């Protein structure tokens, strides 16, 4: 793994926007605009490195599924902050009937510097973004700048194949709707959903489109409807389950949930069991089930334990995006012991992100269905990958 600088293409912004990345710039607090898509540098991997990372990702995914099984069978929903019995029942039922429910993709965030084993930082298998840039502009950048090279990137093909395989699980005679929140101001959620809709159409599926805010409720039939009053039988939502089960229509979602076998009136993708894999408590449960695993960092739910005085720790809210609420604690900095957060957190060993020329990098490794599918790389100026992170392309040489 190596970081190399390169001269950006003169027309890079127009090019990536045409390829679906309509948010190539990030506005900073001082009002300035700086590249989010950053092709002034790129990362190089060997084929052997990528093959090893692919194996790690698929092993981690299998471990996460085993952890989900443990959470359900041992009734550990409260450790994830799921205390509403109805929600716990819905998640557990979705897990038990998961073979009947479409499930598409997820993104592992990994600590890796090219020397030691990759370490799991977190897993988002419910509403992961940065998909568009990983699947499309990154591939075309490589073809233009490094013709003949290769890339860890089979996202597009695997997504289409996944839709084809799972088409039989969708309710017949009705379009698969795709929805994002209109509160998204950057366009990232919109374009992620638009891209996934495109892959579904290329798989031969009939699709529809609306925002989450446009979803209606028909009181007479007791069903969700689109803005043309047509029943919504299946819908892909880039909208977290923790919001879906707590907003004003939460009771309707749970009352009409198709949780496998056509038992309800609306099938939601990703399914409810993905709440088990997008909660930071998963990190502590993984460490409990696989203590000392080379691809895991020590993590706990009841406090940092020995981490406060040894390696230091990171406190992560159980739910959150873009590094929101994450705090870093160096070893031995507390007086009288570590101070626990008021909100439920996962306390994970501090593993400072690898530093490449002052840039802190995290690998976003994608899984489609149960297989490794690609890589996206984000850099940040600080130790937390936040909304000001930059996306850099990569090649295999």
């Amino acid at each position: 793994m190596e970081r190399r600088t390169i001269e950006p293409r003169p027309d890079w912004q127009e090019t990536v926007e045409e390829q679906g990345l309509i948010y190539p710039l990030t506005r900073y607090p001082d009002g300035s605009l700086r590249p989010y898509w950053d092709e002034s540098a790129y990362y190089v991997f060997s084929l052997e490195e990528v093959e090893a990372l692919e194996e790690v990702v698929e092993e981690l995914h299998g471990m996460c599924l085993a952890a989900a099984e443990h959470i359900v069978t041992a009734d550990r929903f409260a450790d994830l902050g799921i205390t509403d019995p109805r929600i716990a029942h819905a998640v557990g039922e979705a897990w038990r009937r998961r073979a009947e429910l479409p499930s598409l993709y997820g993104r592992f965030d990994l600590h890796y510097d090219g020397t030691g084993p990759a370490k799991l930082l977190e897993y988002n298998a419910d509403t992961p973004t940065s998909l568009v840039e990983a699947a499309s502009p990154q591939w075309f950048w490589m073809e233009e700048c490094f013709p003949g090279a290769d890339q860890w990137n089979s996202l597009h093909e695997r997504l289409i194949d996944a839709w084809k395989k799972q088409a039989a699980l969708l309710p017949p005679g009705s379009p698969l709707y795709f929805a994002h929140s209109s509160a998204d101001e950057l366009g990232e959620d919109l374009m992620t959903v638009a891209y996934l809709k495109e892959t579904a159409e290329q798989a031969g599926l009939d699709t529809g489109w609306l925002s989450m805010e446009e979803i209606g409720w028909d009181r007479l039939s007791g069903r969700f409807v689109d803005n043309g009053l047509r029943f919504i039988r299946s819908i892909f939502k880039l909208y977290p389950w923790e919001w879906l089960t707590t907003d004003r229509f939460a009771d309707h979602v749970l009352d009409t949930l198709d949780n496998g076998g056509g038992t309800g009136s609306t099938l939601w993708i990703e399914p409810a069991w993905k709440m088990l894999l997008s909660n930071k408590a998963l990190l502590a449960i993984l460490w409990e089930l696989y203590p000392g695993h080379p691809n895991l960092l020590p993590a706990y739910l009841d406090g940092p334990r020995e981490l406060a005085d040894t390696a230091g720790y990171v406190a992560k809210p159980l739910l959150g995006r873009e590094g929101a609420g994450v705090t870093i604690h160096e070893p031995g900095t507390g007086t009288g012991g570590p101070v626990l957060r008021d909100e439920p957190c996962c306390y994970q060993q501090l593993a400072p992100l690898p530093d490449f020329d002052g840039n802190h990098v995290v690998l976003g490794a994608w899984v489609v269905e149960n297989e490794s599918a690609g890589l996206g790389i984000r850099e940040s100026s600080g130790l937390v990958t936040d909304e000001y992170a930059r996306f850099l392309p990569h090649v295999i040489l």
Side-chain angles (χ1 to χ4, degrees):
M1 180 179 177
E2 181 183 347
R3 187 184 195 271
R4 299 179 183 176
T5 58
I6 188 175
E7 191 68 26
R9 294 167 295 177
D11 57 349
W12 68 268
Q13 182 174 343
E14 179 182 355
T15 299
V16 298
E17 286 179 349
E18 290 174 351
Q19 294 163 353
L21 193 68
I22 64 171
Y23 42 94
L25 303 173
T26 298
R27 185 173 298 279
Y28 279 67
D30 63 3
S32 63
L33 289 171
R34 307 177 200 175
Y36 163 66
W37 169 270
D38 186 355
E39 58 178 67
S40 65
Y42 64 99
Y43 282 85
V44 178
F45 296 84
S46 69
L47 180 59
E48 292 75 18
E49 269 185 304
V50 169
E51 290 175 341
L53 286 168
E54 285 180 319
E55 291 181 5
V56 167
V57 166
E58 293 188 4
E59 180 180 4
L60 285 172
H61 180 66
M63 292 161 56
C64 289
L65 296 181
E69 171 72 15
H70 170 74
I71 294 167
V72 173
T73 56
D75 191 15
R76 297 188 60 179
F77 294 103
D79 286 337
L80 280 67
I82 301 175
T83 56
D84 185 324
R86 292 189 70 199
I87 299 174
H89 174 77
V91 173
E93 185 68 9
W95 173 255
R96 287 184 284 270
R97 306 189 69 165
R98 62 191 179 280
E100 305 169 38
L101 297 169
S103 172
L104 191 63
Y105 74 141
R107 191 195 73 227
F108 284 100
D109 286 346
L110 303 176
H111 177 289
Y112 181 72
D113 62 4
T115 59
K119 301 284 188 179
L120 174 61
L121 297 173
E122 56 190 64
Y123 190 18
N124 185 344
D126 183 21
T127 58
T129 53
S130 77
L131 176 69
V132 174
E133 45 269 47
S136 181
Q138 176 176 225
W139 180 263
F140 292 120
W141 168 88
M142 180 198 68
E143 289 192 322
E144 182 175 342
C145 297
F146 294 91
D150 202 358
Q151 194 173 80
W152 182 4
N153 189 357
S154 58
L155 277 163
H156 192 77
E157 297 81 2
R158 289 187 183 275
L159 287 167
I160 294 172
D161 288 345
W163 288 124
K164 288 179 179 178
K165 291 177 188 175
Q166 301 191 35
L169 301 176
L170 299 173
S174 176
L176 170 61
Y177 288 86
F178 285 79
H180 76 292
S181 174
S182 59
D184 166 41
E185 298 179 352
L186 299 178
E188 183 177 19
D189 289 359
L190 181 149
M191 291 310 300
T192 301
V193 171
Y195 173 66
L196 288 169
K197 181 176 183 290
E198 178 185 338
T199 60
E201 290 170 349
Q202 291 184 24
L205 300 184
D206 180 22
T207 67
W209 175 273
L210 76 172
S211 71
M212 292 296 298
E213 291 77 9
E214 289 177 312
I215 297 175
W217 177 253
D218 180 24
R219 295 180 180 178
L220 292 178
S221 64
R223 300 178 72 170
F224 286 111
V225 294
D226 67 9
N227 40 23
L229 300 182
R230 294 177 290 266
F231 293 148
I232 297 175
R233 285 290 290 110
S234 59
I235 180 169
F236 176 94
K237 87 289 178 293
L238 199 69
Y239 193 79
W241 268 102
E242 61 265 21
W243 297 355
L244 199 62
T245 53
T246 55
D247 68 15
R248 59 181 294 211
F249 287 100
D251 287 341
H252 297 326
V253 170
L254 295 172
D255 288 341
T256 62
L257 181 61
D258 182 345
N259 230 354
T263 54
S265 60
T266 302
L267 178 80
W268 297 86
I269 308 171
E270 299 288 340
W273 65 262
K274 285 297 190 80
M275 291 181 76
L276 304 172
L277 302 188
S278 293
N279 188 301
K280 305 303 188 299
L282 174 70
L283 302 170
I285 293 172
L286 281 170
W287 185 250
E288 176 186 321
L289 297 177
Y290 303 96
H293 192 284
N295 301 120
L296 297 177
L297 293 166
Y300 309 104
L301 294 176
D302 58 356
R305 301 189 190 179
E306 79 282 355
L307 302 177
D309 295 318
T310 56
Y313 64 96
V314 178
K316 298 181 175 181
L318 298 188
L319 301 169
R321 302 178 69 181
E322 304 280 5
V326 172
T327 56
I328 296 175
H329 305 263
E330 298 288 344
T333 55
T335 57
V339 177
L340 301 185
R341 297 271 291 271
D342 291 334
E343 62 181 322
C345 284
C346 174
Y347 299 88
Q348 186 183 50
Q349 178 180 302
L350 175 61
L353 295 179
D355 187 329
F356 287 80
D357 303 323
N359 302 286
H360 302 281
V361 62
V362 63
L363 303 190
W366 291 92
V367 170
V368 175
E369 290 188 304
N370 295 312
E371 297 181 347
S372 168
L375 174 67
I377 299 176
R378 286 171 295 160
E379 283 185 348
S380 56
S381 300
L383 294 179
V384 176
T385 306
D386 56 19
E387 68 268 31
Y388 302 112
R390 306 171 298 280
F391 185 97
L392 277 73
H394 78 276
V395 292
I396 300 172
L397 293 177

